[in-house]
Amino acid sequence: MTVVVVVVFVGAYILIATERIHRVAAALGGAAAMVVLGVVDAQVAFFSEETGVDWNVIFLLVGMMIIVSVLKQTGVFEFVAIWAAKRSRGRPFTVMVLLVVITAVASALLDNVTTVLLIAPVTLLVCDRLNVPPVPFLLAEVMASNIGGTATLIGDPPNIIIASRADLSFNDFLVNLAPIVVVEMIVFIGLCRVLFRSAFHYDEQRVAEVMELDEKEMVRDRGLLLRSGLVMLGVFAGFVGHSALHIEPSLVALLGAGVLVAVSDLEPEEFLEEVEWPTLVFFIGLFIMVGALVEVGIIESLGEVVTDAVGDQYFLAASVLLWGSALLSGIVDNIPYVATVAPLVQDLVATGDGAPQARALWWALALGADLGGNATAVGASANVVIIGIAARNGHPISFWTFTKYGLVVAFTTVLLAWPYLWLRYYAFA
Amino acid sequence: VRARDLAEPFPIVDLDTDAFDAARQMAERRSPGLVVGDEDGKPYTVLPGSQVLNFLIPEYIQKDTRLARALSEKASDELCHRLTTMTVRDMVPRPQDADDLPVVDGDATAIEMAAVMARVRSPLVAVVEDGRVQGVVTVSRLLDHLLDPHSSKTS
C-alpha cells in the first residue's frame, strides 16, 4: 500500500509541476485516489491535526482574501502609487524605488498576487506618462513582492503553512525574517539600479505628465477608506498580539473580514471578488495528499532517515534546506513544495528539543522557498500574474527574459540569507 | 422587407486606411461601425466602434476604470493621437471564417439579418450582391423596422 500511495503522490506532483492538467484537478485527483485506496477517511482528512486539512491555513487565506476585496474598493493602492510617482518628481529610478518599496510592504501585509494585481495597472499608467518601458518596473515589483512577502506570517502562502505546522506566531516571523528582508530589499534596490539601468531615461517634458495625474480621484469613498483603515489597524494589532490573546491568526483574519464587510456596505460579489476558490481547493487537495503520506508512515520513516543523517549538524541541514528549497521553488510552485516538506522539517526540529539551532530550520525553509520563487517565471504565482498583465498590455515578457533577471535576484537574496542564518542562529547562538 | 430594401450606402474602408481617418468617418456619420474591404472590394470584416475604443484605451485602464479619472485632458488627447500612427489593419480582429462575417445577401429577411448580427455581435451587416457591397444595415435601422408595428418581419 505504501508504494501505491507514493506512486499516486508523485504522479499528482508531476502533474502539478508540469501543468499537464490544471493543478487543482491534479491535487483533487490525488486526494480522491488516497480516499479510494482506503488510506484516507473523513476522520483522517477533516478532523485530524496530524493528517487532516489545515483549516487554520484555509480560513486565514479566506479572511485575508475578503479583506483584500474590500480594500480594493477603496482605491487606496492607486492613490498611494500615483502619490509616490509624483513625490519622485518623475525621476524613473526614484519612481521604481518607491513603487518597489510600496509593493514589498503591501505584500508583507496582504498577499503577493493581489498586491501585484493592484499595483501593475497604475505602474503601466505611470510608465506610459513617463514614456519609459514598463517591463523593468513590473519585474522589479513582482520580485519585491516575493521578497517583501517573506517578512511576515501572512505575506506568502508557504509562510502560512509553516506557521501552522510549526506553531509559530506572527511576531516570530516578524522578529526572525523581517530584519533580513529589510537588508534584502536594500540590496535588491541596488540590484535594480544595475539590472534595469537602461530603463531610467529622464525626459523633463514627460515629468509634467506625471505631475498632472490626480491621485485624489482614486478614492471615491473616503468614508469606506477611513473605516477600512481603522479595521486594518485592529487586524494587524490582532496579528501582533495573537499569542498573548490566545487567538489564532486565522480567527483574527476572519474577524477582521467580518467587521470590514459589516462596515463596508458592499454586495457579496464585491467582498468575495478576490476569494480565489481554486487556490483554496488546491490547498485542501494538497493537505489530504500529504496527510495520506503521514498516515501510511512514509513521512515518519523519511524523518528518521533525515534525522539520523543530520544528527546535530543543524547548520548543514539549514544550508541544504535553504539552497534546496530555493532551487526547487524555482522549478515548481513553492506551495506544494512546502506543504510536502513541512512535516519532515517538523520531525527534524522535534529532535532538537526546542533549541534555536533546530528551530532555525523553519526560517531556512521559509527563506529558501519564498526567495527561490523569484528565480523563474513559474517560481511563484505572482510571477505568472505579472507576465499575463504585461502581455495583455502589449509588453510581453518571455520566460527567459524573466529568468535572466530572476536568477540574479534569487541567487543574490538567498546568498544574503545564508550568512544571516549562520550568524544569527549558529555562530553566536 | 428584404436586406436590399433596408440597405443604405456606406463607405468601405480598406485595411491600409489611416486609423484616424476611419475613426473620424465613423464619428461624422454617427455610425456604430465600418465595413472593411479587402483588395478586391469584398467585405473582409466589420470594424465596430467598440473595437476602436478597445484599441484606444489600454487594457489596464479598461480593467481599472478608476485610473481613467487620473488622466488629464492632455493625456486623453495623447491616447487618441495613437490612431494617427496606425492603420485599420492594426485595429481589426484576426481574419475570421467566412461564417463569422456579418454579411448577408440582398434577399435576407429582417430576422435573418438580426440573427447574423446577434451571432457575430456586430452593430451592422453588409449587404452583398454579385460580390459587391450594396450597402449596410445598421442595428438602429433594423430595430426601427422590427419594432414598427406596421412592418412585415419575415418577408
Side-chain angles (χ1 to χ4, degrees):
Chain A
M1 179 56 75
T2 305
V3 175
V4 181
V5 168
V6 171
V7 169
V8 168
F9 184 85
V10 172
Y13 218 91
I14 288 170
L15 289 173
I16 292 169
T18 56
E19 296 182 353
R20 292 291 294 269
I21 60 171
H22 196 284
R23 65 178 190 163
V24 177
L28 274 186
M34 300 303 186
V35 174
V36 172
L37 288 171
V39 181
V40 170
D41 57 18
Q43 178 62 36
V44 171
F46 303 132
F47 305 110
S48 163
E49 283 205 12
E50 293 296 314
T51 59
V53 175
D54 194 330
W55 298 112
N56 276 322
V57 172
I58 301 296
F59 283 107
L60 178 52
L61 287 168
V62 170
M64 291 310 293
M65 287 169 180
I66 293 174
I67 286 173
V68 165
S69 303
V70 177
L71 287 182
K72 189 183 169 185
Q73 308 292 332
T74 65
V76 66
F77 296 94
E78 292 90 339
F79 174 90
V80 172
I82 293 178
W83 173 83
K86 289 173 75 169
R87 292 287 295 178
S88 68
R89 310 208 69 79
R91 287 178 185 80
F93 179 63
T94 316
V95 172
M96 182 184 275
V97 171
L98 287 177
L99 290 178
V100 151
V101 170
I102 289 167
T103 308
V105 172
S107 291
L109 303 179
L110 303 168
D111 78 285
N112 298 356
V113 170
T114 312
T115 303
V116 298
L117 269 174
L118 291 169
I119 210 82
V122 74
T123 301
L124 287 161
L125 175 79
V126 170
C127 289
D128 259 4
R129 297 296 87 214
L130 281 175
N131 199 25
V132 294
V135 169
F137 289 79
L138 295 174
L139 287 174
E141 283 170 4
V142 73
M143 289 173 191
S145 147
N146 289 327
I147 297 170
T150 309
T152 65
L153 185 158
I154 53 173
D156 220 353
N159 291 11
I160 300 176
I161 298 173
I162 290 170
S164 187
R165 182 63 77 163
D167 201 20
L168 293 165
S169 70
F170 188 85
N171 292 350
D172 287 332
F173 276 81
L174 218 51
V175 169
N176 288 280
L177 295 183
I180 182 62
V181 168
V182 171
V183 176
E184 301 272 15
M185 279 305 298
I186 293 167
V187 173
F188 174 67
I189 287 169
L191 266 181
C192 287
R193 187 77 184 93
V194 179
L195 289 174
F196 305 122
R197 58 190 176 279
S198 59
F200 306 129
H201 171 65
Y202 180 71
D203 180 346
E204 211 162 301
Q205 284 184 327
R206 303 295 299 195
V207 172
E209 307 254 344
V210 170
M211 301 310 287
E212 278 177 13
L213 294 172
D214 187 358
E215 70 272 27
K216 293 189 189 74
E217 287 284 358
M218 298 298 98
V219 180
R220 289 182 186 171
D221 185 345
R222 284 167 192 268
L224 176 61
L225 179 62
L226 184 67
R227 293 193 297 275
S228 303
L230 289 173
V231 175
M232 288 311 292
L233 279 177
V235 169
F236 290 119
F239 281 140
V240 171
H242 79 88
S243 297
L245 297 168
H246 304 293
I247 178 169
E248 292 295 324
S250 51
L251 291 178
V252 173
L254 280 179
L255 277 172
V259 175
L260 258 186
V261 166
V263 301
S264 68
D265 202 25
L266 294 173
E267 295 297 319
E269 58 268 26
E270 290 174 308
F271 63 73
L272 295 178
E273 189 182 350
E274 295 297 323
V275 176
E276 299 165 39
W277 301 108
T279 302
L280 299 173
V281 175
F282 176 61
F283 269 82
I284 289 171
L286 268 181
F287 282 133
I288 293 175
M289 286 205 305
V290 175
L293 289 189
V294 176
E295 183 68 13
V296 294
I298 295 168
I299 295 290
E300 193 183 352
S301 307
L302 270 175
E304 283 169 7
V305 172
V306 174
T307 306
D308 287 347
V310 168
D312 58 357
Q313 294 178 296
Y314 288 116
F315 178 61
L316 177 65
S319 303
V320 171
L321 207 50
L322 176 74
W323 286 102
S325 302
L327 183 70
L328 288 168
S329 293
I331 301 166
V332 296
D333 195 314
N334 50 17
I335 295 169
Y337 167 73
V338 170
T340 313
V341 172
L344 269 179
V345 176
Q346 192 176 20
D347 284 352
L348 211 48
V349 172
T351 61
D353 258 351
Q357 291 91 335
R359 284 172 67 82
L361 294 178
W362 288 119
W363 309 128
L365 175 63
L367 286 165
D370 295 346
L371 300 175
N374 269 332
T376 68
V378 294
S381 308
N383 305 359
V384 179
V385 168
I386 208 84
I387 287 170
I389 293 174
R392 286 196 300 279
N393 283 282
H395 306 288
I397 303 171
S398 73
F399 180 89
W400 292 113
T401 301
F402 190 103
T403 304
K404 185 173 69 179
Y405 296 109
L407 277 177
V408 175
V409 172
F411 180 76
T412 307
T413 49
V414 174
L415 193 63
L416 268 174
W418 200 19
Y420 171 77
L421 286 171
W422 181 67
L423 286 170
R424 182 156 181 182
Y425 303 105
Y426 302 100
F428 301 109
Chain B
V1 69
R2 300 289 170 164
R4 73 171 67 82
D5 305 319
L6 288 178
E8 299 171 298
F10 214 76
I12 298 181
V13 296
D14 61 44
L15 288 165
D16 295 320
T17 301
D18 185 78
F20 190 84
D21 288 344
R24 171 67 64 194
Q25 280 193 46
M26 215 180 280
E28 284 170 356
R29 296 179 65 91
R30 300 279 191 271
S31 163
L34 287 175
V35 176
V36 182
D38 62 13
E39 290 81 359
D40 304 322
K42 290 180 183 163
Y44 174 78
T45 189
V46 162
L47 176 64
S50 58
Q51 178 68 14
V52 177
L53 296 180
N54 187 37
F55 185 77
L56 271 182
I57 310 299
E59 199 258 2
Y60 65 84
I61 292 182
Q62 291 182 38
K63 290 275 182 200
D64 188 353
T65 48
R66 192 185 273 119
L67 290 177
R69 289 205 184 188
L71 291 173
S72 63
E73 287 293 323
K74 192 177 160 199
S76 311
D77 290 345
E78 198 178 290
L79 280 179
C80 298
H81 189 72
R82 289 173 65 207
L83 285 179
T84 57
T85 58
M86 307 286 172
T87 64
V88 168
R89 190 187 302 276
D90 298 315
M91 291 196 290
V92 294
R94 283 180 299 123
Q96 300 151 312
D97 294 334
D99 282 350
D100 289 335
L101 282 178
V103 171
V104 294
D105 64 38
D107 286 329
T109 64
I111 296 296
E112 206 177 335
M113 286 186 282
V116 170
M117 282 184 189
R119 192 184 73 230
V120 302
R121 292 167 189 256
S122 172
L124 49 86
V125 284
V127 181
V128 176
E129 288 188 298
D130 301 326
R132 300 201 66 78
V133 179
Q134 301 300 318
V136 303
V137 179
T138 61
V139 70
S140 54
R141 185 159 167 79
L142 182 65
L143 281 174
D144 190 38
H145 170 73
L146 286 172
L147 302 178
D148 179 357
H150 305 297
S151 71
S152 169
K153 275 58 174 188
T154 55
S155 61

